[in-house]
Amino acid sequence: MKKTMKPSKDQLIIIALSVMVLVLLVFCLNAFRTDASPVTGTTTPVKTTLQQEIEPTASTTVPAPDDNADVAPTQTTKPADTTAPVQIDETEEILKTVSDSVNLLKSDKANFTGHKVQNINIRLVDSSVPAVNNIINGVIQAFVKQEILDYDFTDGVSPDPEGEGTVSANGTFPPGDLPFTLTREGVAEATKTSEGANTVYTVVIVAESSTLENPRPPHHNSAADTLDLSSVEIPIVTFTKVDFDYSGATVSVTLNPEGEIVGYYEHLPISGTGEGYGLGITGFGTIEGYLEEKWDISWK
């Protein structure tokens, strides 16, 4: 008997979208995925909370020389010791730790077991047919539920816990099949905290926006999941406008005292509006929600 496979992230969103089309809510929630080509020009400038302001040097008044005063002998100032160690910028240190840890998980040499808990919480908050909003939300919740999966990676490959075949660690951890390449310019906040004997390193990505024409904001696309309409094809619908706002994804890694990554966490809040034309009617829908993913990791 053929094994029944659970819908993927892509399929869950497409199912929700199809239902909306049937009730003439031309609207998009799409797949959490990324692309190798960065999109420019869609970033909303946000000042990082860790950026230090340079304080102006206070001016001082030098007293006029006294002609009757004794002239003090000239003293030679000892040059500063240039061999003193340079303090590493904490934001760069945290970002490097997160980057190295995530890319280690995505490596084709990674050997670990992972327990993944994923939640996708998306709801319709407004539409061109308000009377059916509750119906649509009920259908979405019926498909988009908590997902708990266990993986066993050897050399970066694990049996697929959702079906036959295998999956790669590279494609399983965000951002898609790409390496984690978030830069300092994309960091809104970076923190390092203790959690028992472990240390948690966290970066929050700057706020960004996306459109139908430019669906992948560059900083989120380099480090987290993103939403993209391009893989959804519904013949009777033409999408005319899709605007999403990313208030800033959070990515965290937990390292044990030996420096091994034992935990991964992503929280992606998002909201947006989609408009489209189909069956002779123009409709719109507005969504808000989040994707949350947590991993407990044990190295083999």
Side-chain angles (χ1 to χ4, degrees), residues 102-114:
V102 175
N103 286 328
L104 176 61
L105 292 176
K106 295 167 70 68
S107 166
D108 59 4
K109 302 299 182 182
N111 298 292
F112 64 90
T113 58

Side-chain angles (χ1 to χ4, degrees), residues 192-200 254-257 262-263 294 296:
K192 180 172 66 174
T193 58
S194 297
E195 191 175 88
N198 298 330
T199 305
V200 181
T254 302
L255 273 58
N256 64 17
V262 294
K294 182 178 181 181
D296 292 320

Side-chain angles (χ1 to χ4, degrees), residues 56-249:
T57 303
S59 60
T60 58
T61 302
V62 179
D66 185 350
D67 294 337
N68 297 321
D70 294 333
V71 178
T74 303
Q75 295 183 353
T76 303
T77 303
K78 183 181 179 180
D81 184 3
T82 57
T83 62
V86 177
Q87 294 296 320
I88 299 175
D89 180 270
E90 188 175 34
T91 300
E92 293 286 359
E93 177 190 10
I94 294 170
L95 178 58
K96 184 178 188 306
T97 299
V98 174
S99 176
D100 290 348
S101 298
V102 175
N103 286 328
L104 176 61
L105 292 176
K106 295 167 70 68
S107 166
D108 59 4
K109 302 299 182 182
N111 298 292
F112 64 90
T113 58
H115 178 73
K116 171 187 172 185
V117 178
Q118 173 188 284
N119 290 287
I120 301 177
N121 188 327
I122 298 291
R123 68 188 187 95
L124 186 66
V125 295
D126 190 19
S127 76
S128 53
V129 188
V132 297
N133 288 2
N134 290 338
I135 296 175
I136 297 300
N137 280 324
V139 173
I140 294 174
Q141 294 305 314
F143 287 99
V144 186
K145 296 181 177 180
Q146 185 181 71
E147 179 179 83
I148 301 176
L149 298 171
D150 289 298
Y151 295 80
D152 187 354
F153 289 101
T154 300
D155 293 333
V157 177
S158 168
D160 187 350
E162 296 184 276
E164 300 177 356
T166 60
V167 294
S168 71
N170 185 34
T172 301
F173 288 90
D177 291 321
L178 304 173
F180 186 101
T181 56
L182 183 66
T183 62
R184 174 66 179 271
E185 290 74 20
V187 178
E189 183 179 351
T191 57
K192 180 172 66 174
T193 58
S194 297
E195 191 175 88
N198 298 330
T199 305
V200 181
Y201 297 82
T202 301
V203 293
V204 179
I205 303 174
V206 297
E208 297 183 283
S209 298
S210 68
T211 64
L212 180 61
E213 296 76 19
N214 297 289
R216 302 184 182 95
H219 296 305
H220 280 75
N221 195 55
S222 69
D225 286 305
T226 55
L227 291 168
D228 180 13
L229 185 62
S230 63
S231 67
V232 177
E233 296 182 3
I234 303 179
I236 63 174
V237 176
T238 299
F239 293 99
T240 56
K241 184 178 181 181
V242 179
D243 296 324
F244 285 116
D245 292 321
Y246 296 78
S247 59

